[in-house]
Amino acid sequence: MDFSLTKEQKDIKMAAREFAEKEFPDIAEECDEKEIFPRDVWKKACELGFVGSFISEEYGGPGLGLLEYTLIAEEFWRVDPGIGQALFSTAFGAEIIQLHGTEEQKRKYLPSIVKGEKIMGLATTEPDAGSDITSARTTAVKRGDKYVINGNKTMIGNGSIGDFLLVFCLTNPEEPKVHNRFSFFIVETNRKGYDATHMHGKMGLRAYDSADVSLSDVEVPINNLLGGVEGKGFYQAMDFFNMSRTWVGGFAVGAAQGALERSIRHIKQRQQFGQPLSHFQALRFKIAEMATYVEAARNMVYKAAWSMDNGIRDHKLVAMAKWYAAELAVRVIDEALQLHGGYGYFADYGIERFYRAIKVVEIYEGTKEIEKVIISNEILGRTKRD
């Protein structure tokens, strides 16, 4: 059993690290404080092939695997979670287009993502439909050669700065099987009836745009129905979550690694009682524990990504990796702030930005409770209620 990365994977990981270390630090604090999307850095990331790197060469992308994409995610979040999130979000949902879109849709939308010409987002969440996306009530009604969409989405990435969204809609409300009632539509944000309001006051990841989205009689042509077939939206979303949860695990690993490294530097430099903090056994043990947590999470996330790339769709493993990595990252970053003492509470050291950012990884792309439902269902079978 070989746990080592290939030379190409190591090169990709190093390139992502060097890019992030060069481009993120000078703007990270300002982007967070002022809620600024780092557009210039996004353009550079696109030019270097980091954005949407899973998009195949046929559609203008590098055609990398999920593991390579996860390595990039890890390195970006290692330096700054907010900018890392902002850059990754611009291709959020492109996996669904590549997996399930028509050939026309793939050729029309995917190259623009890779080239840095267009920003996209994924709109599934509603005020009363979060973990349970089958509670979505945004409707798409077919009228002649178009669909008319009405509804509201909330906490939508790039809702106010994006060029188009994939919108999860109820198309077949009378369908007996609930999972067959939904479809995705590609909705350009310049269409009449589309309105988005940037959501201020997020605890973390402020460089990343989140918005309330209103769709009022928004008309889209039939060709904007993803895949050209109604009733497949739920299954398309589930395919996507197996991928997104994996690289979100990479986010967690990266943030934890970055916080660990900051902690190591700090306790080596900071002196108390006439010696560096790194000489105190209690703190040395903390570092040992944190490093162990990071390594355990990394191995699980890499295994999940590798499995997906090799055709092994293990929902249980993906859920385990995402939940475990997120929970351990929260624990590691909490310890990192503790190791910084009072300094960690201020923006100068950057660790408070990691602290504010990491909690959401336990929430989005499936809460840790939902991940445990998936794991237990795979092990014990579904209950009648499920």
Side-chain angles (χ1 to χ4, degrees):
M1 187 177 293
D2 187 356
F3 287 93
S4 62
L5 299 175
T6 66
K7 183 182 183 305
E8 181 186 14
Q9 289 166 343
K10 290 177 182 177
D11 289 344
I12 291 168
K13 185 176 172 71
M14 183 55 65
R17 173 175 294 196
E18 291 174 352
F19 173 78
E21 288 180 343
K22 177 183 177 183
E23 300 291 344
F24 294 4
D26 290 344
I27 62 170
E29 189 173 341
E30 182 181 16
C31 285
D32 178 75
E33 182 180 342
K34 298 180 180 179
E35 302 183 8
I36 299 171
F37 174 74
R39 193 169 293 272
D40 290 343
V41 174
W42 164 64
K43 287 280 190 181
K44 293 177 183 177
C46 291
E47 291 170 4
L48 293 171
F50 293 129
V51 174
S53 63
F54 56 85
I55 294 174
S56 73
E57 294 179 3
E58 186 178 2
Y59 307 112
L64 301 180
L66 183 57
L67 177 52
E68 287 80 16
Y69 200 50
T70 302
L71 296 177
I72 297 170
E74 178 185 349
E75 292 302 328
F76 280 13
W77 271 58
R78 172 184 162 270
V79 177
D80 186 72
I83 296 177
Q85 173 77 20
L87 300 186
F88 258 66
S89 74
T90 61
F92 188 59
E95 296 96 330
I96 305 177
I97 297 177
Q98 180 159 272
L99 285 172
H100 300 290
T102 64
E103 190 62 27
E104 179 185 358
Q105 290 166 348
K106 294 175 186 178
R107 295 194 179 281
K108 181 176 180 180
Y109 295 101
L110 293 179
S112 64
I113 297 298
V114 181
K115 294 175 182 177
E117 296 171 349
K118 297 287 178 68
I119 293 173
M120 72 169 294
L122 181 68
T124 56
T125 303
E126 298 183 6
D128 294 314
S131 295
D132 178 17
I133 65 171
T134 61
S135 295
R137 292 296 173 262
T138 296
T139 59
V141 178
K142 189 176 180 180
R143 294 180 185 169
D145 61 352
K146 63 188 69 173
Y147 282 88
V148 180
I149 301 175
N150 283 280
N152 296 289
K153 301 289 185 178
T154 190
M155 295 180 284
I156 303 306
N158 300 324
S160 67
I161 67 169
D163 298 287
F164 67 90
L165 302 180
L166 268 181
V167 182
F168 189 71
C169 298
L170 181 64
T171 48
N172 308 94
E174 305 304 321
E175 167 63 42
K177 189 174 181 181
V178 66
H179 293 162
N180 293 342
R181 295 176 183 173
F182 303 92
S183 308
F184 273 111
F185 291 85
I186 300 170
V187 179
E188 292 82 4
T189 57
N190 61 0
R191 290 189 177 276
K192 182 180 178 182
Y194 179 95
D195 186 60
T197 304
H198 177 76
M199 299 174 71
H200 294 279
K202 284 205 303 287
M203 185 167 77
L205 303 182
R206 293 174 180 167
Y208 159 62
D209 174 55
S210 300
D212 279 324
V213 172
S214 171
L215 301 121
S216 180
D217 290 331
V218 176
E219 296 183 354
V220 297
I222 288 177
N223 289 343
N224 282 33
L225 168 64
L226 189 73
V229 181
E230 290 185 2
K232 302 296 183 182
F234 176 83
Y235 305 101
Q236 293 163 349
M238 292 305 104
D239 281 346
F240 170 67
F241 287 145
N242 273 334
M243 302 176 73
S244 65
R245 285 169 179 164
T246 303
W247 46 256
V248 164
F251 287 169
V253 171
Q257 180 68 43
L260 172 61
E261 292 172 3
R262 287 168 183 255
S263 298
I264 293 169
R265 288 195 298 269
H266 179 72
I267 68 170
K268 283 184 173 181
Q269 294 168 2
R270 173 97 166 128
Q271 296 221 0
Q272 288 288 281
F273 304 103
Q275 59 184 320
L277 293 179
S278 60
H279 286 190
F280 292 96
Q281 188 179 62
L283 304 191
R284 295 173 72 87
F285 280 7
K286 280 186 183 290
I287 293 294
E289 291 168 358
M290 292 160 69
T292 303
Y293 295 151
V294 174
E295 189 64 19
R298 178 180 288 114
N299 281 328
M300 187 171 282
V301 169
Y302 283 14
K303 181 180 179 182
W306 177 89
S307 297
M308 288 287 290
D309 283 338
N310 284 273
I312 304 169
R313 297 178 59 188
D314 188 338
H315 306 292
K316 176 174 88 285
L317 176 60
V318 169
M320 285 177 171
K322 194 270 185 183
W323 156 61
Y324 193 66
E327 185 165 284
L328 289 187
V330 170
R331 189 183 307 176
V332 167
I333 293 172
D334 180 69
E335 289 284 26
L337 194 147
Q338 188 72 22
L339 286 169
H340 280 74
Y343 291 107
Y345 208 66
F346 290 86
D348 293 4
Y349 281 70
I351 200 67
E352 60 86 33
R353 197 163 61 248
F354 280 68
Y355 189 86
R356 287 187 287 105
I358 196 59
K359 183 60 185 177
V360 76
V361 181
E362 288 193 305
I363 299 171
Y364 66 11
E365 297 310 288
T367 64
K368 60 182 178 181
E369 291 79 15
I370 289 296
E371 306 303 349
K372 291 174 186 178
V373 168
I374 294 169
I375 296 163
S376 59
N377 283 346
E378 291 288 317
I379 296 171
L380 300 171
R382 292 180 175 274
T383 65
K384 289 183 180 179
R385 190 169 183 177
D386 293 329

